[in-house]
Amino acid sequence: MSHAPTGVIERPTPPPGTGGKRSLSSRSLPRLAPVGFAAVSIALAIGISTAAGWHSRVQWGMIAALLFLAVSYVATTVVENQRQAKDRLATSIMWVCFLAAVVPLASLLWTTVSRGSERLDGYFLTHSMAGVLGFEDSGGVYHALIGTLEQVGIATVISAPLGLLTAVYLVEYGKGSLAKAVTFFVDVMTGIPSIVAGLFILSIMLMANLEPSGLMGALALTILMVPVVVRSTEEMLKLVPNELREASLALGIPKWRTILKVVLPTAIGGITTGVMLAIARIAGETAPIILLVFGSQLINTNPFEGAQSSLPFYIYEQYKVGEVASYDRAWAAALVLIAFVMILNLVARGIARWKAPKTGR
């Protein structure tokens, strides 16, 4: 009598004619079925909208999304079973929500790039609006770009260290009523409207008889930026494993040095991302700049004296003119603002990767 070798498990032989694959009795939809459902839903939505006389593409999209959910659920129920139909329905809802968020963003980017690229050139980036009338097809954004760089830079220099130190206190040292009070005020400041921050700095200017300047606008932007930096940095510090802190303290290293050499380098990637999110928020603020900087058509490289402009204020100003040339300049400035934020994000990712702790094999 022959026996199977020790340690070898004999697999059961599949029934004849199946080839080891799933039986033909278990029905299932093909992998590309959702694509077919989407095509059928779009075609039905266009037909229904055309018959009803609806010309809005938003309505077409909403009808197509509802039909996609219904067709997916019904087809899966008929072909497979109700359990698989519920699973596919949940997956379809997630895809619809994803597209509902991505499509407007893609449309916004496409419109900004297509409209702004027509006017964006070297002349536009190196000239100001000094002596240029609203209907003239000339002028540039150089003075506004300088103002944005200086105001956002000053706000970042003030906000980043302040927010980082506050987050370190809340995570590493904060206990009792003081930490709770700081957390409460940070949460309140996170939702503060930008116009309120501008009015706060404006009241200080009126009491101290200060003139409008880029610094005043930067201070208002600082109020908006600090809570975002604190909250994002706090969450990143909480993600650092406690084992790293305990290992460092067990070696006799002081707590402040553990935070400086272990905790912060571990979380530097998330901290940098949080700072960039805060910069992206304040870079597009217009209300504080209108109140505190006043705007200027001239190039002013001194943020501590005299009125300045900024990219958001420039866009608002050109749109308010109402001429074709001013609209083109507004779209080009919007494209410059988007590119400014994207470049900052790329630089931040590079710094985060450079400063991230090196890992071995």
Side-chain angles (χ1 to χ4, degrees):
M1 179 180 295
S2 60
H3 299 278
T6 305
V8 177
I9 301 175
E10 294 184 352
R11 296 182 179 179
T13 304
T18 61
K21 299 181 181 180
R22 178 183 293 183
S23 175
L24 295 176
S25 60
S26 58
R27 297 180 301 175
S28 62
L29 291 170
R31 181 176 298 180
L32 296 180
V35 178
F37 297 156
V40 171
S41 302
I42 294 173
L44 290 176
I46 294 176
I48 294 173
S49 301
T50 304
W54 298 335
H55 303 287
S56 174
R57 294 183 180 179
V58 177
Q59 292 177 330
W60 294 7
M62 294 177 62
I63 296 173
L66 295 176
L67 289 175
F68 175 72
L69 297 177
V71 170
S72 299
Y73 182 79
V74 172
T76 307
T77 302
V78 173
V79 176
E80 298 181 359
N81 53 61
Q82 194 170 9
R83 179 181 178 182
Q84 293 294 333
K86 292 180 180 179
D87 179 76
R88 190 178 293 274
L89 177 62
T91 305
S92 301
I93 291 175
M94 288 188 292
W95 273 106
V96 169
C97 293
F98 170 75
L99 292 176
V102 170
V103 169
L105 176 61
S107 176
L108 174 63
L109 289 175
W110 172 257
T111 303
T112 304
V113 172
S114 61
R115 296 287 299 272
S117 59
E118 297 177 357
R119 185 67 177 81
L120 184 61
D121 52 19
Y123 174 87
F124 183 76
L125 295 175
T126 56
H127 287 74
S128 68
M129 291 295 295
V132 179
L133 300 179
F135 61 88
E136 295 181 351
D137 190 16
S138 59
V141 76
Y142 180 75
H143 62 298
L145 183 60
I146 293 296
T148 294
L149 290 174
E150 292 181 346
Q151 294 158 25
V152 172
I154 293 173
T156 304
V157 169
I158 299 174
S159 303
L162 185 60
L164 177 61
L165 294 175
T166 303
V168 169
Y169 165 75
L170 292 175
V171 175
E172 304 293 339
Y173 298 98
K175 294 180 181 179
S177 58
L178 179 59
K180 293 181 181 179
V182 173
T183 302
F184 172 76
F185 283 111
V186 168
D187 293 337
V188 171
M189 291 178 62
T190 303
I192 188 173
S194 59
I195 190 67
V196 176
L199 289 174
F200 175 72
I201 301 299
L202 180 61
S203 63
I204 297 177
M205 289 175 55
L206 296 177
M207 290 187 294
N209 293 323
L210 299 175
E211 296 294 330
S213 64
L215 176 63
M216 298 296 105
L219 293 178
L221 297 180
T222 300
I223 297 175
L224 301 173
M225 185 174 177
V226 166
V228 180
V229 176
V230 172
R231 182 58 62 213
S232 59
T233 304
E234 183 181 1
E235 296 301 324
M236 290 301 104
L237 294 177
K238 289 180 180 178
L239 294 178
V240 178
N242 286 328
E243 289 78 5
L244 296 178
R245 298 181 176 90
E246 294 171 356
S248 178
L249 295 174
L251 295 174
I253 300 176
K255 188 172 184 177
W256 68 269
R257 194 173 181 83
T258 298
I259 297 172
L260 187 63
K261 296 294 185 179
V262 177
V263 178
L264 292 180
T266 304
I268 188 63
I271 293 173
T272 306
T273 302
V275 173
M276 299 315 300
L277 288 175
I279 293 177
R281 183 202 170 183
I282 66 172
E285 293 293 345
T286 308
I289 306 302
I290 295 176
L291 289 175
L292 307 173
V293 184
F294 277 23
S296 175
Q297 304 292 338
L298 305 177
I299 300 174
N300 180 12
T301 58
N302 184 8
F304 304 100
E305 183 180 0
Q308 272 191 328
S309 185
S310 70
L311 289 173
F313 182 82
Y314 180 87
I315 296 170
Y316 163 77
E317 187 179 42
Q318 294 300 315
Y319 181 80
K320 188 174 63 174
V321 173
E323 299 290 340
V324 175
S326 65
Y327 287 152
D328 294 338
R329 287 191 292 265
W331 281 110
L335 181 58
V336 172
L337 182 59
I338 293 176
F340 170 71
V341 175
M342 291 181 64
I343 292 173
L344 285 179
N345 277 276
L346 292 176
V347 172
R349 289 181 179 273
I351 294 175
R353 179 172 296 182
W354 174 45
K355 291 295 184 180
K358 302 298 185 295
T359 57
R361 296 182 60 182

